[in-house]
Every structure is written in C-alpha cells, then in structure tokens.
Amino acid sequence: MSPARTIALIGAPGAGKSTVGRALADRLGLPFVDVDACIEAEQGRLLREIFADFGETRFRALERDASASALAEPGVVAVGSGAVLTADVAAALRDVTVIWLQVSVAQASRRLGLNQAGVLVLGNLRATLIRQLTERTPVYQNLATISVDTDHADVPAIVERIVAELKEDDR
C-alpha cells in the first residue's frame, strides 16, 4: 500500500467519516483531516452557525477550498457529506482513493442522535436525511473507489475491511 496516498471518506451524515477516518489514519500511519472541523476552526464558529449567518453558498465555498487543500496532501480526509455536489470537489476526488461509507437512514439517525429529538424535529431531520441520501447516493456511487457498508460493523472491523480493500486495490 502506498504510504503517501490520499484517501477520502465520503458518505451521508452519520456514516462514520470522522470516527472511521481517525482510526484508519492511525492504522495506516497517515495524517487525518476532517474538513468540517477545519472549517469550524478557521471560521471560529460551528457549521450550523456558518449556514445561519452566511448561507449555504458561502459555506459551500469554504468547504470547496478546505476540501481542495486537504485532498492535495497525503493522508485520510473526511469530506463533508454534501461537498461531493460541488464540481471542484468532485473533480479533486477523482485524483484520490475514495471510500464511500454507506449507511442506512435508520442507522444514521441513531448515530446522530435524531431518535432523541422531539417528534416534529425528528420528522423534519429524518426527512432531510432521506432527501439527502436520495440526492447524493448516485454521486457517492459514481465517485467511490471502494464502498463499505457501515451499518453492521464496528469501527475496527470497518477499518480492517478498508485496509484489505486498499491492499487488493494496489494489486
């Protein structure tokens, strides 16, 4: 396995991009970058605040720039779930190994704590998640070098599956 490679993790909110990404980077001895965390650190505010204060267009521009910077360096990169819809990010992903962490709506909802919200909030968030998955799944499929179902495995098992797939991909 090439030690200087860039590996991007894509998928829906709750797929495990940040958690799996950290563990995968540790396993491979590579740096880890969470694009969402980079944006928050750079802007000094949470993503939801950026959306509320500046709108989605400004957020997507920040995301595009942060993604391009992260993907230009070797390491494991957790890409924001909607970043794949930005043409420049999709183009940058074509030059790296892309791991699609697949997740069901039910599992993503559980991981995100949406099952703890009130009924109205839960319904709205779940509907948004379903809409996002419907819209983004074909894009994830198109960009993925490797796809891994995260619904029925713990993080160490997911990491080992990815490592095995990367070794197979290198042959």
Side-chain angles (χ1 to χ4, degrees), residues 100-171:
W100 173 28
L101 298 180
Q102 298 172 291
V103 65
S104 66
V105 171
Q107 189 65 265
S109 295
R110 191 173 68 70
R111 290 177 186 166
L112 294 170
L114 299 184
N115 56 350
Q116 304 300 316
V119 175
L120 182 59
V121 172
L122 174 59
N124 290 340
L125 293 174
R126 187 174 169 89
T128 298
L129 188 57
I130 291 168
R131 181 182 46 76
Q132 287 176 347
L133 277 171
T134 300
E135 176 185 28
R136 297 173 185 173
T137 292
V139 180
Y140 295 146
Q141 286 172 327
N142 185 41
L143 292 169
T145 307
I146 298 167
S147 299
V148 178
D149 183 344
T150 67
D151 273 8
H152 307 291
D154 61 9
V155 172
I158 294 166
V159 167
E160 289 310 312
R161 165 96 190 274
I162 292 170
V163 169
E165 293 277 349
L166 291 170
K167 287 178 182 174
E168 185 68 28
D169 196 46
D170 283 345
R171 289 182 192 182

Side-chain angles (χ1 to χ4, degrees), residues 64-73:
R64 177 198 63 223
D65 295 346
S67 297
S69 176
L71 292 168
E73 300 293 330

Side-chain angles (χ1 to χ4, degrees), residues 24-107:
L24 180 63
D26 285 347
R27 173 74 164 73
L28 297 176
L30 292 170
F32 172 70
V33 177
D34 182 324
V35 171
D36 288 346
C38 288
I39 295 168
E40 288 182 340
E42 177 185 290
Q43 296 298 308
R45 57 183 66 204
L46 299 174
L47 296 181
R48 67 177 173 265
E49 294 169 341
I50 297 168
F51 261 88
D53 294 345
F54 303 114
E56 184 174 2
T57 301
R58 175 71 178 133
F59 171 75
R60 293 296 174 202
L62 293 168
E63 183 179 56
R64 177 198 63 223
D65 295 346
S67 297
S69 176
L71 292 168
E73 300 293 330
V76 176
V77 180
V79 178
S81 63
V84 297
L85 302 176
T86 302
D88 290 343
V89 175
L93 288 168
R94 299 221 179 270
D95 295 330
V96 303
T97 301
V98 179
I99 312 293
W100 173 28
L101 298 180
Q102 298 172 291
V103 65
S104 66
V105 171
Q107 189 65 265

